[in-house]
PDB file of all heavy atoms in Angstrom:
ATOM      1  N   THR I  92     -12.463  -6.049   2.230  1.00  0.00           N
ATOM      2  CA  THR I  92     -11.240  -6.660   1.946  1.00  0.00           C
ATOM      3  C   THR I  92     -11.395  -7.792   0.976  1.00  0.00           C
ATOM      4  O   THR I  92     -12.347  -8.664   1.091  1.00  0.00           O
ATOM      5  CB  THR I  92     -10.578  -7.110   3.286  1.00  0.00           C
ATOM      6  OG1 THR I  92     -10.567  -6.091   4.266  1.00  0.00           O
ATOM      7  CG2 THR I  92      -9.147  -7.665   3.015  1.00  0.00           C
ATOM      8  N   VAL I  93     -10.612  -7.826  -0.080  1.00  0.00           N
ATOM      9  CA  VAL I  93     -10.559  -8.854  -1.047  1.00  0.00           C
ATOM     10  C   VAL I  93      -9.460  -9.871  -0.786  1.00  0.00           C
ATOM     11  O   VAL I  93      -8.251  -9.354  -0.307  1.00  0.00           O
ATOM     12  CB  VAL I  93     -10.333  -8.272  -2.486  1.00  0.00           C
ATOM     13  CG1 VAL I  93     -10.438  -9.356  -3.461  1.00  0.00           C
ATOM     14  CG2 VAL I  93     -11.512  -7.209  -2.687  1.00  0.00           C
ATOM     15  N   ASP I  94      -9.530 -11.042  -1.069  1.00  0.00           N
ATOM     16  CA  ASP I  94      -8.541 -12.041  -0.869  1.00  0.00           C
ATOM     17  C   ASP I  94      -8.337 -12.350   0.678  1.00  0.00           C
ATOM     18  O   ASP I  94      -8.720 -11.527   1.511  1.00  0.00           O
ATOM     19  CB  ASP I  94      -7.280 -11.690  -1.569  1.00  0.00           C
ATOM     20  CG  ASP I  94      -7.452 -11.633  -3.129  1.00  0.00           C
ATOM     21  OD1 ASP I  94      -8.370 -12.316  -3.614  1.00  0.00           O
ATOM     22  OD2 ASP I  94      -6.645 -10.936  -3.712  1.00  0.00           O
ATOM     23  N   THR I  95      -7.483 -13.291   0.964  1.00  0.00           N
ATOM     24  CA  THR I  95      -7.123 -13.591   2.356  1.00  0.00           C
ATOM     25  C   THR I  95      -5.966 -12.660   2.707  1.00  0.00           C
ATOM     26  O   THR I  95      -5.236 -12.159   1.704  1.00  0.00           O
ATOM     27  CB  THR I  95      -6.755 -15.073   2.505  1.00  0.00           C
ATOM     28  OG1 THR I  95      -5.707 -15.426   1.565  1.00  0.00           O
ATOM     29  CG2 THR I  95      -7.880 -15.945   2.195  1.00  0.00           C
ATOM     30  N   VAL I  96      -5.660 -12.593   3.940  1.00  0.00           N
ATOM     31  CA  VAL I  96      -4.663 -11.659   4.296  1.00  0.00           C
ATOM     32  C   VAL I  96      -3.444 -12.577   4.796  1.00  0.00           C
ATOM     33  O   VAL I  96      -3.610 -13.333   5.631  1.00  0.00           O
ATOM     34  CB  VAL I  96      -5.062 -10.647   5.471  1.00  0.00           C
ATOM     35  CG1 VAL I  96      -3.920  -9.819   6.022  1.00  0.00           C
ATOM     36  CG2 VAL I  96      -6.165  -9.782   4.916  1.00  0.00           C
ATOM     37  N   SER I  97      -2.259 -12.332   4.253  1.00  0.00           N
ATOM     38  CA  SER I  97      -0.997 -12.956   4.687  1.00  0.00           C
ATOM     39  C   SER I  97      -0.254 -12.122   5.661  1.00  0.00           C
ATOM     40  O   SER I  97      -0.088 -10.889   5.361  1.00  0.00           O
ATOM     41  CB  SER I  97      -0.221 -13.312   3.486  1.00  0.00           C
ATOM     42  OG  SER I  97      -0.844 -14.315   2.653  1.00  0.00           O
ATOM     43  N   VAL I  98       0.269 -12.685   6.657  1.00  0.00           N
ATOM     44  CA  VAL I  98       1.161 -11.982   7.639  1.00  0.00           C
ATOM     45  C   VAL I  98       2.499 -12.295   7.463  1.00  0.00           C
ATOM     46  O   VAL I  98       2.955 -13.412   7.411  1.00  0.00           O
ATOM     47  CB  VAL I  98       0.562 -12.360   9.065  1.00  0.00           C
ATOM     48  CG1 VAL I  98       1.474 -11.597  10.042  1.00  0.00           C
ATOM     49  CG2 VAL I  98      -0.869 -11.905   9.177  1.00  0.00           C
ATOM     50  N   GLY I  99       3.391 -11.308   7.522  1.00  0.00           N
ATOM     51  CA  GLY I  99       4.827 -11.350   7.361  1.00  0.00           C
ATOM     52  C   GLY I  99       5.395 -10.028   7.824  1.00  0.00           C
ATOM     53  O   GLY I  99       4.841  -9.329   8.657  1.00  0.00           O
ATOM     54  N   ALA I 100       6.462  -9.655   7.305  1.00  0.00           N
ATOM     55  CA  ALA I 100       7.080  -8.302   7.492  1.00  0.00           C
ATOM     56  C   ALA I 100       6.186  -7.200   7.197  1.00  0.00           C
ATOM     57  O   ALA I 100       5.993  -6.311   7.834  1.00  0.00           O
ATOM     58  CB  ALA I 100       8.458  -8.126   6.993  1.00  0.00           C
ATOM     59  N   ASP I 101       5.400  -7.448   6.052  1.00  0.00           N
ATOM     60  CA  ASP I 101       4.364  -6.622   5.567  1.00  0.00           C
ATOM     61  C   ASP I 101       3.001  -7.415   5.472  1.00  0.00           C
ATOM     62  O   ASP I 101       3.028  -8.608   5.239  1.00  0.00           O
ATOM     63  CB  ASP I 101       4.691  -6.020   4.228  1.00  0.00           C
ATOM     64  CG  ASP I 101       5.869  -4.993   4.149  1.00  0.00           C
ATOM     65  OD1 ASP I 101       6.135  -4.497   5.202  1.00  0.00           O
ATOM     66  OD2 ASP I 101       6.612  -5.147   3.210  1.00  0.00           O
ATOM     67  N   VAL I 102       2.072  -6.573   5.484  1.00  0.00           N
ATOM     68  CA  VAL I 102       0.603  -7.191   5.253  1.00  0.00           C
ATOM     69  C   VAL I 102       0.133  -6.454   3.975  1.00  0.00           C
ATOM     70  O   VAL I 102       0.022  -5.291   3.873  1.00  0.00           O
ATOM     71  CB  VAL I 102      -0.260  -6.853   6.406  1.00  0.00           C
ATOM     72  CG1 VAL I 102      -1.687  -7.406   6.108  1.00  0.00           C
ATOM     73  CG2 VAL I 102       0.205  -7.378   7.737  1.00  0.00           C
ATOM     74  N   THR I 103      -0.090  -7.337   2.980  1.00  0.00           N
ATOM     75  CA  THR I 103      -0.638  -6.799   1.806  1.00  0.00           C
ATOM     76  C   THR I 103      -2.100  -6.749   1.804  1.00  0.00           C
ATOM     77  O   THR I 103      -2.738  -7.861   2.064  1.00  0.00           O
ATOM     78  CB  THR I 103      -0.089  -7.570   0.488  1.00  0.00           C
ATOM     79  OG1 THR I 103       1.302  -7.576   0.553  1.00  0.00           O
ATOM     80  CG2 THR I 103      -0.680  -7.076  -0.734  1.00  0.00           C
ATOM     81  N   LEU I 104      -2.749  -5.689   1.421  1.00  0.00           N
ATOM     82  CA  LEU I 104      -4.195  -5.595   1.498  1.00  0.00           C
ATOM     83  C   LEU I 104      -4.829  -5.182   0.219  1.00  0.00           C
ATOM     84  O   LEU I 104      -4.111  -4.400  -0.628  1.00  0.00           O
ATOM     85  CB  LEU I 104      -4.562  -4.511   2.535  1.00  0.00           C
ATOM     86  CG  LEU I 104      -4.102  -4.734   3.950  1.00  0.00           C
ATOM     87  CD1 LEU I 104      -4.288  -3.495   4.758  1.00  0.00           C
ATOM     88  CD2 LEU I 104      -4.925  -5.914   4.667  1.00  0.00           C
ATOM     89  N   LYS I 105      -5.949  -5.636  -0.119  1.00  0.00           N
ATOM     90  CA  LYS I 105      -6.672  -5.279  -1.316  1.00  0.00           C
ATOM     91  C   LYS I 105      -8.130  -5.040  -1.051  1.00  0.00           C
ATOM     92  O   LYS I 105      -8.691  -5.845  -0.334  1.00  0.00           O
ATOM     93  CB  LYS I 105      -6.543  -6.388  -2.386  1.00  0.00           C
ATOM     94  CG  LYS I 105      -7.128  -6.024  -3.709  1.00  0.00           C
ATOM     95  CD  LYS I 105      -7.183  -7.248  -4.712  1.00  0.00           C
ATOM     96  CE  LYS I 105      -5.881  -7.883  -4.911  1.00  0.00           C
ATOM     97  NZ  LYS I 105      -5.940  -9.008  -5.899  1.00  0.00           N
ATOM     98  N   PHE I 106      -8.585  -3.848  -1.339  1.00  0.00           N
ATOM     99  CA  PHE I 106     -10.017  -3.420  -1.096  1.00  0.00           C
ATOM    100  C   PHE I 106     -10.697  -3.244  -2.487  1.00  0.00           C
ATOM    101  O   PHE I 106     -10.165  -2.868  -3.447  1.00  0.00           O
ATOM    102  CB  PHE I 106     -10.009  -2.037  -0.393  1.00  0.00           C
ATOM    103  CG  PHE I 106      -9.281  -2.196   0.879  1.00  0.00           C
ATOM    104  CD1 PHE I 106      -7.945  -1.546   1.024  1.00  0.00           C
ATOM    105  CD2 PHE I 106      -9.711  -2.826   2.064  1.00  0.00           C
ATOM    106  CE1 PHE I 106      -7.271  -1.524   2.156  1.00  0.00           C
ATOM    107  CE2 PHE I 106      -9.030  -2.763   3.175  1.00  0.00           C
ATOM    108  CZ  PHE I 106      -7.749  -2.175   3.237  1.00  0.00           C
ATOM    109  N   SER I 107     -12.035  -3.550  -2.322  1.00  0.00           N
ATOM    110  CA  SER I 107     -12.860  -3.297  -3.465  1.00  0.00           C
ATOM    111  C   SER I 107     -14.283  -2.810  -2.911  1.00  0.00           C
ATOM    112  O   SER I 107     -14.423  -2.697  -1.722  1.00  0.00           O
ATOM    113  CB  SER I 107     -13.103  -4.459  -4.337  1.00  0.00           C
ATOM    114  OG  SER I 107     -13.753  -4.163  -5.459  1.00  0.00           O
ATOM    115  N   GLY I 108     -15.188  -2.526  -3.719  1.00  0.00           N
ATOM    116  CA  GLY I 108     -16.553  -1.987  -3.352  1.00  0.00           C
ATOM    117  C   GLY I 108     -17.136  -1.218  -4.405  1.00  0.00           C
ATOM    118  O   GLY I 108     -17.091  -1.763  -5.535  1.00  0.00           O
ATOM    119  N   GLN I 109     -17.836  -0.125  -4.200  1.00  0.00           N
ATOM    120  CA  GLN I 109     -18.446   0.591  -5.288  1.00  0.00           C
ATOM    121  C   GLN I 109     -17.434   1.275  -6.092  1.00  0.00           C
ATOM    122  O   GLN I 109     -16.354   1.576  -5.459  1.00  0.00           O
ATOM    123  CB  GLN I 109     -19.478   1.499  -4.708  1.00  0.00           C
ATOM    124  CG  GLN I 109     -20.611   0.946  -3.895  1.00  0.00           C
ATOM    125  CD  GLN I 109     -21.377  -0.186  -4.727  1.00  0.00           C
ATOM    126  OE1 GLN I 109     -21.717   0.057  -5.917  1.00  0.00           O
ATOM    127  NE2 GLN I 109     -21.505  -1.315  -4.118  1.00  0.00           N
ATOM    128  N   PRO I 110     -17.716   1.634  -7.318  1.00  0.00           N
ATOM    129  CA  PRO I 110     -16.667   2.343  -8.117  1.00  0.00           C
ATOM    130  C   PRO I 110     -16.187   3.686  -7.360  1.00  0.00           C
ATOM    131  O   PRO I 110     -17.048   4.371  -6.831  1.00  0.00           O
ATOM    132  CB  PRO I 110     -17.340   2.754  -9.393  1.00  0.00           C
ATOM    133  CG  PRO I 110     -18.383   1.641  -9.652  1.00  0.00           C
ATOM    134  CD  PRO I 110     -18.853   1.282  -8.182  1.00  0.00           C
ATOM    135  N   ALA I 111     -14.880   3.957  -7.482  1.00  0.00           N
ATOM    136  CA  ALA I 111     -14.368   5.092  -6.697  1.00  0.00           C
ATOM    137  C   ALA I 111     -14.976   6.314  -7.138  1.00  0.00           C
ATOM    138  O   ALA I 111     -15.123   6.559  -8.467  1.00  0.00           O
ATOM    139  CB  ALA I 111     -12.870   5.061  -6.791  1.00  0.00           C
ATOM    140  N   GLU I 112     -15.178   7.244  -6.301  1.00  0.00           N
ATOM    141  CA  GLU I 112     -15.643   8.594  -6.601  1.00  0.00           C
ATOM    142  C   GLU I 112     -14.564   9.618  -6.134  1.00  0.00           C
ATOM    143  O   GLU I 112     -14.062   9.605  -5.134  1.00  0.00           O
ATOM    144  CB  GLU I 112     -16.931   8.835  -5.817  1.00  0.00           C
ATOM    145  CG  GLU I 112     -18.093   7.915  -6.219  1.00  0.00           C
ATOM    146  CD  GLU I 112     -19.276   8.118  -5.270  1.00  0.00           C
ATOM    147  OE1 GLU I 112     -19.190   9.074  -4.396  1.00  0.00           O
ATOM    148  OE2 GLU I 112     -20.146   7.330  -5.267  1.00  0.00           O
ATOM    149  N   GLU I 113     -14.289  10.594  -6.961  1.00  0.00           N
ATOM    150  CA  GLU I 113     -13.421  11.646  -6.739  1.00  0.00           C
ATOM    151  C   GLU I 113     -14.092  12.559  -5.621  1.00  0.00           C
ATOM    152  O   GLU I 113     -15.227  12.933  -5.828  1.00  0.00           O
ATOM    153  CB  GLU I 113     -12.998  12.389  -7.928  1.00  0.00           C
ATOM    154  CG  GLU I 113     -11.864  13.418  -7.713  1.00  0.00           C
ATOM    155  CD  GLU I 113     -11.390  14.022  -8.962  1.00  0.00           C
ATOM    156  OE1 GLU I 113     -11.677  13.532  -9.941  1.00  0.00           O
ATOM    157  OE2 GLU I 113     -10.631  14.920  -8.911  1.00  0.00           O
TER     158      GLU I 113
END
Side-chain angles (χ1 to χ4, degrees):
T92 304
V93 178
D94 298 332
T95 58
V96 176
S97 297
V98 176
D101 294 331
V102 179
T103 300
L104 300 167
K105 187 185 304 182
F106 302 104
S107 190
Q109 300 305 313
E112 300 171 6
E113 189 170 350

